[in-house]
Amino acid sequence: INIILPSPKKIQKELTEFIPRIEKDKIVGRESELVDLRKRLFDNKQVLLVNGLGGIGKTTIAQAYMSEYWDDYEHVAWVEINNDNIAIDFVNTEGLCSRLDIDTDGNNTETLFYDILRKLKDINSTKPSLLIMDNAKQELYKWYDYLPKQPNWHILVTSRNYIEKFN
Protein backbone atom coordinates (compact mmCIF):
# COMPACT_ATOMS: atom_id res chain seq x y z
CA ILE A 1 0.00 0.00 0.00
CA ASN A 2 1.33 3.39 -0.97
CA ILE A 3 0.39 6.19 1.34
CA ILE A 4 0.53 9.58 -0.24
CA LEU A 5 1.07 12.36 2.23
CA PRO A 6 0.00 15.86 1.33
CA SER A 7 2.93 17.99 0.33
CA PRO A 8 3.84 20.65 2.86
CA LYS A 9 2.27 24.04 2.34
CA LYS A 10 4.63 26.32 0.41
CA ILE A 11 5.57 29.29 2.53
CA GLN A 12 5.42 32.49 0.56
CA LYS A 13 8.28 34.99 0.53
CA GLU A 14 6.34 37.73 2.30
CA LEU A 15 5.70 36.31 5.78
CA THR A 16 3.88 39.45 6.87
CA GLU A 17 1.15 41.41 5.14
CA PHE A 18 2.90 44.77 5.62
CA ILE A 19 6.41 45.05 4.23
CA PRO A 20 7.29 48.70 3.58
CA ARG A 21 9.65 49.11 0.66
CA ILE A 22 11.41 52.15 -0.65
CA GLU A 23 13.17 52.65 -3.95
CA LYS A 24 16.94 52.99 -3.70
CA ASP A 25 16.93 56.22 -5.72
CA LYS A 26 14.76 57.83 -3.03
CA ILE A 27 17.65 57.48 -0.58
CA VAL A 28 20.59 59.86 -0.81
CA GLY A 29 23.98 59.34 0.82
CA ARG A 30 23.29 55.98 2.47
CA GLU A 31 24.89 53.61 -0.05
CA SER A 32 27.90 52.84 2.15
CA GLU A 33 25.62 52.10 5.12
CA LEU A 34 23.60 49.62 3.04
CA VAL A 35 26.78 47.87 1.90
CA ASP A 36 28.02 47.78 5.52
CA LEU A 37 24.73 46.25 6.73
CA ARG A 38 24.93 43.56 4.05
CA LYS A 39 28.55 42.76 4.92
CA ARG A 40 27.73 42.48 8.62
CA LEU A 41 24.74 40.23 7.97
CA PHE A 42 26.24 37.98 5.29
CA ASP A 43 29.95 37.92 6.14
CA ASN A 44 30.17 38.67 9.86
CA LYS A 45 26.90 36.85 10.62
CA GLN A 46 25.79 39.40 13.18
CA VAL A 47 22.36 40.26 14.53
CA LEU A 48 22.25 43.97 13.80
CA LEU A 49 20.80 46.94 15.62
CA VAL A 50 20.41 50.30 13.87
CA ASN A 51 19.82 52.74 16.69
CA GLY A 52 19.70 56.46 17.30
CA LEU A 53 17.43 59.42 17.87
CA GLY A 54 13.94 59.53 16.42
CA GLY A 55 13.73 60.87 12.88
CA ILE A 56 17.30 60.11 11.74
CA GLY A 57 16.20 57.48 9.22
CA LYS A 58 16.51 54.11 10.98
CA THR A 59 13.31 52.73 9.48
CA THR A 60 14.21 54.19 6.09
CA ILE A 61 17.59 52.41 6.17
CA ALA A 62 15.85 49.11 7.02
CA GLN A 63 13.38 49.65 4.16
CA ALA A 64 16.17 50.54 1.74
CA TYR A 65 18.25 47.52 2.81
CA MET A 66 15.30 45.19 2.32
CA SER A 67 14.48 46.68 -1.07
CA GLU A 68 18.09 46.62 -2.28
CA TYR A 69 18.79 43.03 -1.21
CA TRP A 70 15.26 41.58 -1.62
CA ASP A 71 16.42 38.88 -4.04
CA ASP A 72 19.10 37.64 -1.60
CA TYR A 73 16.43 36.38 0.81
CA GLU A 74 14.09 33.41 0.71
CA HIS A 75 11.55 34.93 3.12
CA VAL A 76 11.03 38.39 4.60
CA ALA A 77 9.08 39.41 7.70
CA TRP A 78 8.55 42.94 9.01
CA VAL A 79 7.37 43.24 12.62
CA GLU A 80 6.48 46.67 13.96
CA ILE A 81 7.14 46.86 17.70
CA ASN A 82 4.48 48.98 19.41
CA ASN A 83 4.33 47.45 22.89
CA ASP A 84 6.69 46.61 25.70
CA ASN A 85 5.45 43.03 25.26
CA ILE A 86 7.06 41.81 22.03
CA ALA A 87 4.84 38.70 21.98
CA ILE A 88 1.76 40.88 21.40
CA ASP A 89 3.46 42.60 18.45
CA PHE A 90 4.47 39.33 16.78
CA VAL A 91 1.04 37.75 17.24
CA ASN A 92 -0.73 40.90 16.02
CA THR A 93 1.48 41.30 12.94
CA GLU A 94 -0.96 40.86 10.10
CA GLY A 95 -0.44 37.71 8.08
CA LEU A 96 2.35 36.20 10.20
CA CYS A 97 0.36 33.44 11.93
CA SER A 98 -1.65 32.53 8.87
CA ARG A 99 1.36 32.42 6.52
CA LEU A 100 3.21 30.23 9.00
CA ASP A 101 0.12 28.00 9.21
CA ILE A 102 -0.39 28.62 12.93
CA ASP A 103 -3.87 28.00 14.32
CA THR A 104 -4.74 30.93 16.58
CA ASP A 105 -8.03 29.51 17.94
CA GLY A 106 -7.93 29.00 21.69
CA ASN A 107 -4.25 29.82 22.10
CA ASN A 108 -2.98 32.61 24.30
CA THR A 109 -0.49 35.23 23.14
CA GLU A 110 2.53 33.63 24.76
CA THR A 111 1.81 30.22 23.22
CA LEU A 112 1.30 31.80 19.80
CA PHE A 113 4.52 33.77 20.12
CA TYR A 114 6.51 30.62 20.89
CA ASP A 115 4.78 28.88 17.95
CA ILE A 116 5.82 31.75 15.65
CA LEU A 117 9.43 31.58 16.84
CA ARG A 118 9.49 27.79 16.42
CA LYS A 119 8.05 27.97 12.89
CA LEU A 120 10.52 30.69 11.91
CA LYS A 121 13.44 28.60 13.19
CA ASP A 122 12.12 25.55 11.31
CA ILE A 123 12.32 27.37 7.96
CA ASN A 124 15.33 25.99 6.15
CA SER A 125 16.23 26.99 2.63
CA THR A 126 19.18 27.57 0.35
CA LYS A 127 19.10 31.33 0.97
CA PRO A 128 18.75 33.04 4.35
CA SER A 129 15.55 34.78 5.39
CA LEU A 130 15.28 38.30 6.79
CA LEU A 131 13.45 39.37 9.94
CA ILE A 132 13.18 43.11 10.53
CA MET A 133 11.91 44.35 13.88
CA ASP A 134 11.19 48.06 13.64
CA ASN A 135 11.10 50.40 16.62
CA ALA A 136 12.18 47.77 19.16
CA LYS A 137 12.36 48.50 22.87
CA GLN A 138 15.18 47.64 25.29
CA GLU A 139 13.20 44.63 26.51
CA LEU A 140 14.01 42.84 23.26
CA TYR A 141 17.32 41.71 24.79
CA LYS A 142 15.34 39.26 26.96
CA TRP A 143 14.28 37.44 23.79
CA TYR A 144 17.64 37.41 22.04
CA ASP A 145 18.30 33.72 22.68
CA TYR A 146 14.83 32.74 21.41
CA LEU A 147 15.05 34.53 18.07
CA PRO A 148 15.95 32.64 14.88
CA LYS A 149 19.63 33.03 14.04
CA GLN A 150 22.28 32.62 11.36
CA PRO A 151 22.78 30.94 8.99
CA ASN A 152 19.06 30.55 8.19
CA TRP A 153 18.03 34.00 9.41
CA HIS A 154 19.36 37.53 9.26
CA ILE A 155 17.93 39.86 11.89
CA LEU A 156 17.89 43.63 11.52
CA VAL A 157 16.48 45.70 14.38
CA THR A 158 15.76 49.42 14.53
CA SER A 159 15.42 51.20 17.85
CA ARG A 160 15.85 54.52 19.58
CA ASN A 161 17.66 52.60 22.31
CA TYR A 162 20.81 50.60 22.69
CA ILE A 163 19.73 46.99 23.17
CA GLU A 164 22.01 44.59 25.02
CA LYS A 165 23.43 41.63 23.00
CA PHE A 166 22.76 43.29 19.63
CA ASN A 167 25.65 44.55 17.45
Side-chain angles (χ1 to χ4, degrees):
I1 297 175
N2 287 337
I3 300 174
I4 299 173
L5 298 172
S7 48
K9 181 180 171 185
K10 172 99 168 94
I11 300 173
Q12 62 190 86
K13 181 167 185 145
E14 299 88 0
L15 294 177
T16 54
E17 191 70 35
F18 176 70
I19 299 181
R21 296 178 72 175
I22 191 167
E23 296 302 319
K24 186 179 176 187
D25 61 351
K26 305 277 187 225
I27 308 292
V28 178
R30 298 287 182 125
E31 294 82 8
S32 65
E33 291 170 343
L34 295 176
V35 169
D36 183 50
L37 287 176
R38 188 178 191 293
K39 179 176 177 31
R40 289 171 181 252
L41 288 168
F42 276 89
D43 298 343
N44 299 351
K45 305 203 180 315
Q46 298 174 327
V47 176
L48 293 182
L49 169 67
V50 177
N51 69 321
L53 298 173
I56 65 167
K58 299 175 296 294
T59 298
T60 301
I61 283 288
Q63 291 172 337
Y65 176 82
M66 185 192 49
S67 296
E68 177 69 15
Y69 299 109
W70 180 262
D71 293 334
D72 293 342
Y73 291 100
E74 189 74 25
H75 304 285
V76 176
W78 183 285
V79 178
E80 187 79 35
I81 307 297
N82 299 309
N83 297 286
D84 287 336
N85 184 344
I86 189 173
I88 292 171
D89 293 313
F90 268 77
V91 171
N92 289 337
T93 296
E94 195 170 337
L96 189 56
C97 285
S98 63
R99 291 176 184 182
L100 291 174
D101 203 24
I102 296 172
D103 182 12
T104 57
D105 291 341
N107 289 318
N108 66 33
T109 301
E110 186 174 316
T111 299
L112 291 171
F113 179 53
Y114 285 117
D115 284 348
I116 290 168
L117 293 177
R118 183 180 48 76
K119 289 272 191 158
L120 291 175
K121 288 178 184 179
D122 286 347
I123 293 175
N124 196 359
S125 57
T126 56
K127 294 194 280 187
S129 295
L130 176 64
L131 171 60
I132 296 176
M133 290 176 279
D134 189 34
N135 200 32
K137 313 290 188 274
Q138 286 178 320
E139 291 74 22
L140 181 61
Y141 85 91
K142 297 175 190 173
W143 296 101
Y144 181 85
D145 294 326
Y146 295 91
L147 297 172
K149 299 277 187 325
Q150 296 269 6
N152 294 332
W153 281 91
H154 290 176
I155 297 180
L156 180 58
V157 178
T158 70
S159 178
R160 292 182 180 189
N161 305 300
Y162 166 77
I163 302 175
E164 229 178 282
K165 298 184 180 182
F166 290 82
N167 293 305

